[in-house]
Amino acid sequence: MLKLLRARIQQGHRTLSYPEGPPPDLPERFRGHPVFAAGACPEGCDECAAVCPTGAITVQPALEVDLGKCLFCGECAAACPTGALTYGRDYRLAARERGDLVVSETEPVRLAKALDEKSRRLFGRSLKLRQVSAGGCNGCESEVNVLSTVVWDLGRFGIQIVASPRHADGLIVTGPVTENMRLALRKTYEAVAPPKIVVAVGACAISGGPYLDHPEAHNGADAIVPVDLYVPGCPPHPLTILDGLLRLLGRLESEGAQRRKQ
């Protein structure tokens, strides 16, 4: 026991200081918010859209990327002959409305706004979420699980993943919602006492991801249950998920306030 205590003291404090401090370093291969080079997209070129596996890119009338469909695979950036489309390091991607995830040169993602005042009073200091894997590959599920480790310590914000929907305030949904999981998701949602919230994590849960329009998939959670927060990615980084949750609860400054500081 003494050896364990000594080792723990030597390890020191491991929990991230974010959001009070700077965000953690992101891996070199991390792909965040798309970056559009002004005027670089040649007229008539659709090479980026042609290689996109989920149809997330449109080029007419302007170059746009639907982050709800995007797998962040980088194939579009590799195919672009002029560098008109690349991926930056901005991890802030979560939005309240599905349409807010469609971005372009002039319209970045409209970051998630906080819940209304009554909902913040209910959930702001204690939020229990039941995670539902509705046919996921375990990528998004793993990233959600990481948030409960000592480094991220989701519980310090009063947010916990619970085992039963009857103990939950809402759901975190991952996966494209396969036909075999459709009824399970609906029953799990109904088992949560109102008021309740739903968070769709990952491209599959938002749009169906690579399984878009598959006959055995339902193209995401909002085909079955109402969604309050969309967190894009394949899978999203834990920082992107945490950022979205904290914005939903009003625990981060608004987008406008952050930009004024910058």
Side-chain angles (χ1 to χ4, degrees):
M1 176 62 78
L2 291 176
K3 289 183 178 180
L4 290 175
L5 290 174
R6 184 162 50 248
R8 185 66 189 90
I9 292 172
Q10 290 174 346
Q11 290 169 0
H13 182 73
R14 290 191 171 187
T15 304
L16 298 171
S17 60
Y18 177 85
E20 285 76 14
D25 293 333
L26 296 168
E28 183 178 348
R29 61 182 180 178
F30 174 80
R31 297 188 184 102
H33 196 294
V35 177
F36 301 88
C41 187
E43 186 175 351
C45 177
D46 65 349
E47 293 189 29
C48 58
V51 300
C52 180
T54 59
I57 300 176
T58 57
V59 295
Q60 294 296 334
L63 178 59
E64 292 182 338
V65 179
D66 184 347
L67 297 183
K69 294 181 178 180
C70 183
L71 304 182
F72 294 80
C73 63
E75 290 297 316
C76 53
C80 181
T82 63
L85 175 61
T86 57
Y87 285 86
R89 309 285 293 172
D90 193 344
Y91 58 86
R92 302 171 301 167
L93 301 171
R96 290 291 307 276
E97 302 292 336
R98 177 66 181 87
D100 290 346
L101 295 177
V102 179
V103 301
S104 66
E105 178 183 334
T106 58
E107 189 64 53
V109 64
R110 292 181 284 279
L111 297 177
K113 294 181 180 179
L115 294 166
D116 61 77
E117 185 178 351
K118 180 179 179 181
S119 297
R120 291 201 306 274
R121 286 201 305 268
L122 288 171
F123 304 133
R125 297 178 65 86
S126 178
L127 177 65
K128 315 295 185 184
L129 297 171
R130 173 68 165 94
Q131 200 269 318
V132 179
S133 178
C137 69
N138 206 41
C140 294
E141 293 84 348
S142 296
E143 300 304 313
V144 171
N145 288 343
V146 164
L147 290 173
S148 295
T149 62
V150 67
V151 174
W152 294 91
D153 191 14
L154 189 63
R156 64 194 163 115
F157 303 107
I159 307 173
Q160 291 182 313
I161 308 299
V162 296
S164 170
R166 299 192 185 280
H167 300 159
D169 302 306
L171 305 179
I172 290 181
V173 183
T174 55
V177 188
T178 59
E179 175 58 23
N180 285 341
M181 284 299 298
R182 176 186 59 81
L183 182 59
L185 174 59
R186 167 58 65 180
K187 286 189 172 183
T188 305
Y189 177 78
E190 291 174 352
V192 180
K196 47 194 168 185
I197 64 175
V198 176
V199 181
V201 173
C204 286
I206 296 174
S207 66
Y211 310 104
L212 178 69
D213 293 332
H214 190 283
E216 290 299 318
H218 290 276
N219 293 348
D222 60 7
I224 310 300
V225 296
V227 173
D228 300 280
L229 181 69
Y230 297 89
V231 186
C234 186
H237 193 280
L239 184 57
T240 302
I241 304 173
L242 179 59
D243 178 82
L245 290 173
L246 294 182
R247 290 184 188 281
L248 186 69
L249 298 177
R251 304 286 288 273
L252 290 177
E253 290 181 318
S254 67
E255 182 181 6
Q258 288 184 337
R259 288 180 174 174
R260 284 193 293 272
K261 283 188 175 181
Q262 295 172 355

